[in-house]
Structure formats: structure tokens, C-alpha cells
Amino acid sequence: MSIVKNFLEFPKSFLWGTASSAHQVEGNNIHSDWWAWEQENKGKILAVKEKKFKGQKFEPSEKCLDHYNRYKEDFGLMKKLNNNAHRLSIEWARIEPKEGEWNLQELEHYRNVLQTLKDQKIKVMLTLNHFTLPSWFIAKGGWLNVRSPYYFKKYAAFVAKNLGELVDFWITINEPEIYMSMCYLEGFWPPQKKDVKSAGWVYFNMARAHRISYKTIHKIIDKNFSKAKVGVAMNVMSFASYKKHSFLELFFVHAADRIVNHSFYDLTKRSHDFLGVNYYFRVRLKKSAHGFMPIVDEVSEEESELSDMGWVIYPHGIFDVLMDFKDFNLPIYITENGIATEDDAQRSKFIINHLSEIHHAIRAGVDVRGYFYWSLLDNFEWDKSFGPKFGLVAVDRKTMRRTVKPSYFIYKEICENNGVAL
Ligand code: BGC
């Protein structure tokens, strides 16, 4: 007698993969703003947001996971995972280390990387910018420079012309709202500013950069190769009120949803061929007990399950945000979903529960076409260094040895069966 009560089958040709970003795995990204900032902060205790990682000495990425040299081994792990897609990024700072100077050796490196994926019949979702930026671009003011969208467009055009035939999906910018807030509002990440006006300009210029690169990539690809699919990956949060009937809380839930989840789309209308959804957690907003400002606070202490990052685990939230995005009438890819935890059984449960909710959304008519777990490897988690463990595979950074965790096999079975057995 089978003990499988229910099998949730996903649509045919559904994409199963993992997601990563170059700086978080490759190593030696020396021409980037993060590299310089990490060297300045080596060994210091940084003001991080996440409780569990407060008080730790900052360790720079340096050789990181040496994925730059070990990508074949890592892609082999993906193949064994029965993955048919991978989301990765390339480094602008490697390809254009100085303004207008294109490094052809690095271009060749990335050509080999993408070709290796193609040879293994793994579809390529390529992010052009995942937080890190070339130092020369930052010296010009970064995204504050009025010409920044054009610098980015030139880089996008260079990549599209030279690597275009190897790319199935393009993501211009990863999580512009997180970049804007961590770097220009809250001041945790370089260039560590806390200035609302600058944050606004940064966001606006990133939206311009996406719009013009969208057109440029289409112009190049649609002429030479098959029609391009271009989008962004947004960090989408599920917002809820603390009390069901609190008008004030519901008002802030609505405002937060509009600003965090929708504003970038409002600024970049008709420049998306698909939606990239990065979903990690839900946020409940509660009327502040301290008086007038802030008017609402985030609640997390009372929630039943948190990740090591202190994020509220709420699988049903992915259903809510998918239903919300249904109205865009565009294909949706879950471009990131994952958990930082030392408890690998919690990771397996996380994956199964989130996929069940995604399946629920598909049954309700949402056109979800792929899922990318964040991430294959335990990697460099920005200002928290190597503390948080998001990976299906652990990495010993002294020997660089990769060791698969039990959750790797759970995800492997899901990908192999194109579905989840409950
Ligand atoms: C980012 C990743 C990051 C992950 C976990 C996402 O918002 O795109 O770079 O590692 O969250 O924090």
C-alpha cells in the first residue's frame, strides 16, 4: 500500500533549478564596489540587522566558494539534481573593469560557463546586475548619476551581442528595491547612505536602466536569435495586518504592498515579458505601542517559525503574492525562494510547503512556469559573510569540498518526478 496520499504534479516543461549570484560564489571579484568595501571592513563588527549574526567579525568574500574555477563541478551537482534550468549572474566589474574597456578574457570565461550549462541541457536565466557594481561606476556616483542608465545599457548591449545566443531568460536587475533600501535608506551595504532623496533617485534611475536595456536587448536578440524574454527579479513580501479589522494597519498593509511589491512595475510598465518573484517571508504590521512615530511596527517575535535570518516562515504568503500578480497576465518564475537554517530538515519542509502553495496557485489559474531554490551552495551572504546557510550543499571553505545535505535529495526527487509527493 502506498503511503503517498497526494501527488502534486506540476505543468509539463516546468523549470526546476537553483539560483545564485556571481559575487556570492565566484571569488576574487576585485574590480567591484563590494570588494573594496569588504577589504575596508575586514575583521570589523558590522551593524547587521539580523539578531543571530550580530557581533560576528566580518569576513570578506576573497576566494569565496571558488565557483569561478569549479563551475563544472557545481553544474554537475545541478545535473544530478535533475535540474533543467539555472539562474546565475555575471559580473559587470569583470567584463568592464574600467569604463569602456571590455575584458575579452572574462567574456570568454562566461561564454564557457554558459556553454557548459547549454551542453548539459540546462536553460540559462542570466542576471546582468545582482547588487555588485564596478568601482569606476560607483566613482561616477553609481545609480545617482543621471547617465547611469546609459552606462548600464552599454554593458547590457555588449553582453547581448556577445553571449546572447546562450541565454534563455534575461534579468536586468535583481531586487532594485532591496538595493535601494539596504544601500541608500538603511545604510547597511555600500555606499552606506541614509538619505531618502538619494534613495528615490537611485530607484528612479534603476527603473530607467531597466526600461532602456529591455528595448536594447530585444533589438539585438530579436534580430539575431529567437525572441528575447526579459524581466526583473523583485523581492516580493506578503504583508498582513496584526488585527484583522484594524483600519490603520490595513491602510499600511496596502501602502507597503504598493510601494515594496508594485512601485518598480509601475515605473517600468510594458517592459516585462515575465515576472520574477523572489519570495522569502511575510511581514505583519501592528499599530505601534510607542506613540506616534513609527505608526506601525513589524511583528516577528510572536510568529511560530522563523529562519536563522529572523524571517517569518509563511508558505501561504507565496500563494497570496502569486494571486496578486495574476492580473499582470504574464508568465511567472519563482526566481528565488529559500531558507537560512542549520536545521536541514526545516529546509526540506520549507521547500515542500512552499511548492504545495505554488501548486495551489497554479490550480487557481496563475501561470507559474518555474522554480529556482536559493541556493545550491552555502554562499557569501553579503554583510553577514558566510554565517547564514541557505544551501542544499555545504562547502568547506578550506578545502572547497562540497557535501550534499539531505534536503538536496528531497529536492532531487521533486525535480525528477516533476511534482511533490505529500
Ligand atoms: C538576494 C540574494 C540573497 C538572498 C538571501 C535575496 O534577496 O537576491 O542575493 O542572498 O536574498 O538573503
Side-chain angles (χ1 to χ4, degrees), residues 24 130-131 174-175 235 280 311 336 374 381-382 390:
Q24 292 178 268
H130 197 119
F131 299 151
N174 179 66
E175 300 185 347
N235 189 305
Y280 286 92
W311 294 348
E336 285 180 35
W374 182 275
E381 182 56 28
W382 308 113
F390 278 93

Side-chain angles (χ1 to χ4, degrees), residues 213-348:
S213 310
Y214 175 89
K215 283 198 194 125
T216 302
I217 295 172
H218 268 291
K219 238 190 240 159
I220 295 167
I221 301 292
D222 298 359
K223 201 164 65 184
N224 297 313
F225 316 109
S226 61
K227 207 164 179 314
K229 298 186 193 82
V230 188
V232 289
M234 293 295 292
N235 189 305
V236 179
M237 299 169 200
S238 169
F239 292 100
S241 65
Y242 187 69
K243 286 198 175 138
K244 221 171 165 185
H245 303 293
S246 161
F247 178 76
L248 181 93
E249 288 169 5
L250 286 170
F251 171 80
F252 277 93
V253 163
H254 186 72
D257 179 55
R258 288 308 318 168
I259 296 168
V260 178
N261 295 341
H262 286 268
S263 60
F264 199 77
Y265 287 122
D266 292 340
L267 291 169
T268 54
K269 283 199 178 116
R270 289 177 296 284
S271 307
H272 300 271
D273 303 316
F274 63 88
L275 304 182
V277 170
N278 295 354
Y279 174 80
Y280 286 92
F281 54 86
R282 112 157 147 179
V283 175
R284 278 208 294 167
L285 299 176
K286 183 181 185 181
K287 188 168 172 276
S288 170
H290 322 296
F292 192 63
M293 286 300 269
I295 303 169
V296 285
D297 293 326
E298 280 184 26
V299 185
S300 63
E301 286 78 14
E302 302 166 20
E303 302 281 357
S304 54
E305 197 186 355
L306 301 179
S307 75
D308 287 354
M309 302 282 272
W311 294 348
V312 178
I313 308 303
Y314 185 64
H316 188 67
I318 201 165
F319 173 81
D320 290 339
V321 301
L322 287 173
M323 290 309 285
D324 180 29
F325 282 134
K326 187 175 175 216
D327 299 343
F328 277 79
N329 285 320
L330 286 172
I332 300 181
Y333 295 88
I334 309 301
T335 37
E336 285 180 35
N337 175 237
I339 179 171
T341 180
E342 304 268 358
D343 171 2
D344 195 55
Q346 191 190 17
R347 185 182 338 278
S348 300

Side-chain angles (χ1 to χ4, degrees), residues 4 17 102 138 148 159 164 193 221 249 259 351-352 383 414:
V4 174
W102 305 103
I138 289 293
S148 56
V159 177
K193 298 264 178 327
I221 301 292
E249 288 169 5
I259 296 168
I351 295 175
I352 291 171
D383 50 343
I414 293 172

